[in-house]
């Protein structure tokens, strides 16, 4: 760092001293930005996706200018610490959210970290559960907000410059800058762009993170990752997890995928007895944001990666949401507003009928309702099994936020961004968690997806049409034609049944009940649910069990 503006310490316990100080783990990459400041994490140049390793002189007249240059000329997973006049500092995490950063304020210091467990090492005080925030989170478990479920700890908004001294935030990267504008691209051109972007992104991450095993299902999202790696001449392998019954067995599709690309593959079978009902999958995180059963998935994928000699597992998490998997009339109305009545609108109307399996009259009525009323409002809170008293409002400052953005007359893009927001708790980056990574959330792919009009994703009457067209000629048609895929539902239900007694003991009389989060009587009734029904309350109970286990890990 320039001058004495930031002192690098060898031990995090020495950070609460005079002046700004930094501790970086031995394996954490960092880049000197010269007079502009410092970057922690991984950065790539926009032009050619070459990784920045040896230092970067970011010439800029201000931290604001440096921040705009960084999000415009680079991408990756990083935190930048930028120098202000008078040796004050500003912080910004990259727009993708793949390097989450949390902060806390003491009476004398502002402390930021990528691992919430470090707060205790720095300040000497353990973080406690913020029970009201936890209840809000459980009412909106898909939403990521600046508020965490730990007292006094918040998350930096990705793509925004935070000024600790002034306690204010300046947006730098905004989704609306990439919203569709005329002239709109044709499907073939968009598909070529996506293919090139995916090749560049997956190749860059492979070079940075090591040999890759892709968590594959034979579905569109993981297949795009595999095909992009193959086209980029990167060695990779595939790992797949299956249920013991046929409902969640995708091995035939994964074998077809791997064999067509010349990749090795292996698999594991879900074991309900292997699910640990008392260990939090969200260990060390500031929210119980991971589903309880994913710890079993983590362990099996890690075992597959070890067998295949891979350093990291890439997953397709977030793909459905990024690739605008909408089931509504939004694309029809968007195209009507963009182009006016005509053949194009009728083609999209027919396409959405095919994609949603609705008839023409049903889709036409839905389009008219949307024209009159606009986009649907916020999704209601999920108050199932929660105690009646307490707020069900989501925490403030959604990450990323669509509120206050100008969507023009294309309200479907609002729905698309809402989908992207709701995948933020499911992606894997460089922070706390297993050795998994979600490359589809990378900034170049995110910006590409935001820039595509909603109707283009459904051209020809099939969802994620841009991705399927990008993969045309690279994969067997049998894979490209899949519109749905199997899942671990039977495993999850059997795991619940196998551990029902333990889950009951865990929830009834536990921390959630004692702190007024859950309704004991409703939970007791739900615990008796027959697993042969399709009732989703089992998933809700497992989410509450994850919250219980997570809360105990912080107390």
């Amino acid at each position: 760092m320039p001058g004495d503006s930031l002192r690098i310490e060898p031990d995090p316990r020495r950070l609460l001293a005079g002046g700004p100080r930094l501790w970086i783990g031995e394996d954490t990459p960092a880049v000197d930005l010269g007079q502009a400041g410092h970057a922690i994490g991984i950065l790539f140049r926009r032009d050619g996706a070459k990784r920045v390793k040896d230092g970067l002189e970011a010439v800029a007249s201000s931290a604001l200018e440096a921040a705009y240059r960084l999000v415009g000329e680079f991408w990756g997973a990083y935190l930048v610490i930028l120098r202000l006049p008078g040796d004050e500092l500003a912080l910004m995490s990259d727009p993708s959210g793949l390097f989450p950063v949390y902060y806390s304020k003491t009476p004398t210091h502002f402390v930021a970290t990528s691992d919430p467990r470090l707060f205790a090492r720095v300040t000497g005080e353990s973080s406690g559960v913020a029970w009201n925030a936890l209840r809000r989170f459980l009412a909106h478990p898909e939403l990521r907000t600046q508020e965490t479920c730990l007292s006094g700890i918040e998350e930096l908004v990705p793509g925004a410059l935070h000024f600790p001294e002034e306690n204010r935030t300046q947006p730098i990267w905004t989704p609306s800058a990439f919203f569709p504008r005329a002239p709109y691209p044709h499907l073939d051109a968009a598909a070529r762009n996506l293919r090139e972007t995916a090749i560049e992104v997956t190749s860059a991450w492979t070079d940075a993170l090591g040999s890759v095993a892709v968590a594959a299902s034979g579905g569109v999202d993981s297949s795009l990752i595999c095909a992009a790696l193959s086209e980029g001449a990167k060695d990779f392998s595939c790992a797949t997890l299956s249920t013991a019954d046929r409902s969640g067995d995708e091995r035939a599709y994964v074998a077809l995928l791997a064999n067509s690309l010349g990749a090795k593959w292996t698999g594991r079978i879900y074991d309900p007895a292997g699910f640990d009902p008392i260990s939090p999958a969200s260990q060390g995180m500031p929210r119980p944001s991971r589903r309880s059963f994913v710890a079993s998935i983590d362990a099996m994928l890690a075992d597959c990666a070890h067998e295949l000699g891979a350093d990291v597992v890439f997953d397709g998490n977030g793909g459905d949401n990024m690739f605008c998997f909408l089931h509504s009339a939004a694309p029809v109305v968007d195209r009507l507003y963009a182009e006016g009545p005509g053949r194009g609108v009728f083609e999209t109307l027919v396409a959405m009928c095919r994609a949603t399996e609705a008839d023409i009259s049903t889709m036409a009525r839905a389009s008219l309702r949307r024209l009159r009323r606009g986009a649907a409002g916020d999704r209601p809170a999920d108050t199932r099994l929660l105690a009646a008293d307490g707020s069900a409002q989501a925490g403030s400052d959604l990450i990323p936020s669509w509120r206050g953005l100008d969507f023009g007359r294309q309200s479907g893009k609002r729905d698309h961004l809402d989908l992207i927001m709701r995948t933020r708790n499911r992606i894997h980056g460089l922070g706390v968690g297993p050795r998994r990574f979600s490359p589809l959330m990378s900034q170049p792919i995110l910006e590409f997806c935001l820039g595509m009009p909603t109707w283009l994703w459904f051209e020809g009457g099939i969802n994620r049409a841009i991705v399927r067209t990008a993969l045309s000629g690279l994969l067997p048609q049998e894979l490209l034609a899949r519109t749905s895929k199997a899942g671990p539902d039977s495993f999850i239900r059997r795991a619940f049944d196998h551990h029902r007694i333990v889950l009951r003991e865990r929830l009834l009389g536990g921390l959630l009940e004692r702190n007024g989060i859950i309704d004991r009587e409703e939970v007791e009734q739900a615990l008796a649910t027959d697993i042969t029904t399709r009732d989703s309350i089992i998933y809700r109970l497992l989410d509450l069990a994850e919250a219980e286990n997570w809360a105990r890990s912080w107390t």
Side-chain angles (χ1 to χ4, degrees):
M1 286 295 294
D4 296 324
S5 62
L6 185 67
R7 178 174 174 176
I8 298 179
E9 293 285 356
D11 190 320
R13 291 171 294 184
R14 297 170 60 178
L15 293 180
L16 293 191
R21 299 179 180 229
L22 172 67
W23 175 83
I24 307 173
E26 292 182 2
D27 298 329
T28 303
V31 180
D32 188 348
L33 301 179
Q35 291 297 312
H38 213 72
I40 303 166
I42 297 175
L43 285 86
F44 304 102
R45 297 182 184 275
R46 289 272 188 170
D47 184 10
K50 182 180 179 181
R51 183 176 175 186
V52 179
K53 289 184 178 180
D54 301 327
L56 174 69
E57 183 67 27
V59 180
S61 60
S62 67
L64 201 62
E65 181 185 345
Y68 278 115
R69 286 198 58 191
L70 282 164
V71 300
E73 300 176 19
F74 302 87
W75 62 275
Y78 59 84
L79 167 74
V80 290
I81 305 172
L82 298 174
R83 183 185 184 188
L84 301 173
D87 284 342
E88 294 181 8
L89 302 175
L91 308 176
M92 181 181 71
S93 61
D94 81 272
S96 71
L98 288 169
F99 193 89
V101 177
Y102 312 97
Y103 67 91
S104 180
K105 299 174 184 176
T106 74
T108 57
H109 287 76
F110 176 96
V111 184
T113 178
S114 60
D115 186 342
R117 292 169 293 193
L118 288 174
F119 285 120
R121 292 182 62 185
V122 172
T123 66
E125 298 181 3
S126 299
S127 300
V129 176
W131 297 105
N132 288 336
L134 177 58
R135 191 191 191 284
R136 286 190 288 272
F137 173 81
L138 290 172
H140 301 272
E142 290 184 331
L143 293 180
R144 194 179 188 100
T145 66
Q146 192 170 350
E147 176 184 66
T148 76
C149 299
L150 294 175
S151 298
I153 295 177
E154 297 191 17
E155 181 172 353
L156 290 180
V157 177
L161 195 60
H162 188 86
F163 299 87
E165 290 288 330
E166 303 172 32
N167 192 29
R168 69 178 179 91
T169 298
Q170 170 73 48
I172 302 297
W173 182 95
T174 176
S176 58
F178 305 95
F179 286 171
R181 292 174 177 83
Y184 302 107
H186 294 291
L187 179 61
D188 288 341
R192 284 194 300 271
N193 192 345
L194 176 59
R195 182 189 295 195
E196 293 168 1
T197 302
I199 292 170
E200 189 171 83
V201 164
T202 56
S203 296
W205 283 122
T206 301
D207 291 341
L209 300 178
S211 58
V212 171
V214 180
S217 64
V220 170
D221 307 328
S222 58
S223 294
L224 175 62
I225 296 172
C226 292
L229 289 169
S230 178
E231 288 296 293
K234 300 298 180 183
D235 289 332
F236 71 97
S237 52
C238 296
T240 190
L241 308 180
S242 306
T243 55
D245 58 77
R246 295 181 60 185
S247 69
D249 188 350
E250 297 174 311
R251 285 173 292 182
Y253 290 108
V254 174
L256 181 61
L257 170 68
N259 292 339
S260 69
L261 297 175
K264 295 188 298 181
W265 74 279
T266 190
R268 298 290 186 274
I269 302 295
Y270 293 110
D271 178 11
F275 168 70
D276 186 349
I278 65 172
S279 179
S282 309
Q283 183 77 42
M285 297 180 176
R287 313 172 184 89
S289 52
R290 304 186 78 222
R291 311 300 292 269
S292 60
F293 53 83
V294 300
S296 300
I297 295 175
D298 297 338
M300 287 186 287
L301 287 176
D303 192 45
C304 288
H306 178 75
E307 177 188 332
L308 296 165
D311 298 313
V312 63
V313 173
F314 280 5
D315 60 48
N317 287 13
D320 286 352
N321 301 46
M322 290 283 284
F323 301 141
C324 199
F325 201 165
L326 291 172
H327 272 200
S328 75
V332 182
V333 175
D334 282 0
R335 192 163 193 181
L336 176 62
Y337 278 135
E339 298 179 356
R343 179 177 178 179
V345 175
F346 181 74
E347 288 176 349
T348 299
L349 179 70
V350 173
M352 293 310 298
C353 288
R354 292 181 59 190
T356 62
E357 298 183 348
D359 57 44
I360 289 284
S361 61
T362 299
M363 187 57 64
R365 288 195 299 271
S367 301
L368 289 173
R369 284 196 300 271
R370 192 174 181 98
L371 278 169
R372 290 196 301 264
R373 303 174 187 172
D378 294 343
R379 300 187 196 183
D382 185 356
T383 57
R384 291 176 301 165
L385 309 186
L386 298 183
D389 54 332
S391 172
Q393 295 294 320
S396 60
D397 300 319
L398 296 172
I399 297 176
S401 179
W402 50 260
R403 291 173 178 163
L405 295 180
D406 181 10
F407 292 93
R409 304 185 78 182
Q410 294 197 28
S411 63
K413 191 51 63 174
R414 175 198 184 280
D415 296 354
H416 187 191
L417 188 56
D418 183 59
L419 284 177
I420 294 173
M421 285 195 305
R422 291 177 183 278
T423 198
R424 288 295 177 129
N425 284 330
R426 308 293 180 232
I427 62 172
H428 297 98
L430 298 187
V432 179
R435 183 77 169 156
R436 287 173 62 184
F437 194 76
S438 306
L440 296 181
M441 190 55 71
S442 299
Q443 187 179 341
I445 297 179
L446 172 61
E447 292 171 354
F448 167 86
C449 292
L450 289 171
M452 293 298 104
T454 55
W455 64 85
L456 202 62
W457 294 103
F458 296 91
E459 187 162 315
I462 193 168
N463 60 59
R464 296 165 288 178
I466 301 175
V467 187
R468 297 178 197 276
T469 306
L471 293 173
S472 180
L474 303 180
L475 296 177
Q477 186 60 33
E478 185 178 354
L479 293 176
L480 299 182
R482 293 187 72 196
T483 57
S484 62
K485 60 183 180 181
D489 182 71
S490 64
F491 154 70
I492 294 166
R493 291 177 182 278
R494 289 172 182 169
F496 167 80
D497 194 43
H498 187 86
H499 298 285
R500 196 189 300 251
I501 294 175
V502 176
L503 292 169
R504 178 185 177 84
E505 294 173 348
R506 202 77 175 166
L507 286 172
L508 300 182
L511 292 177
L512 296 188
E513 184 186 351
R514 294 203 297 270
N515 285 277
I517 304 295
I518 60 175
D519 185 304
R520 179 186 178 94
E521 183 177 343
E522 290 186 5
V523 169
E524 280 192 287
Q525 293 176 358
L527 283 165
T529 299
D530 185 346
I531 66 167
T532 61
T533 69
R534 308 311 299 171
D535 196 335
S536 65
I537 201 67
I538 288 174
Y539 286 81
R540 181 61 164 173
L541 284 166
L542 290 173
D543 285 348
L544 295 181
E546 172 66 13
E548 176 71 30
N549 294 332
W550 172 87
R552 294 190 188 198
S553 74
W554 283 104
T555 55

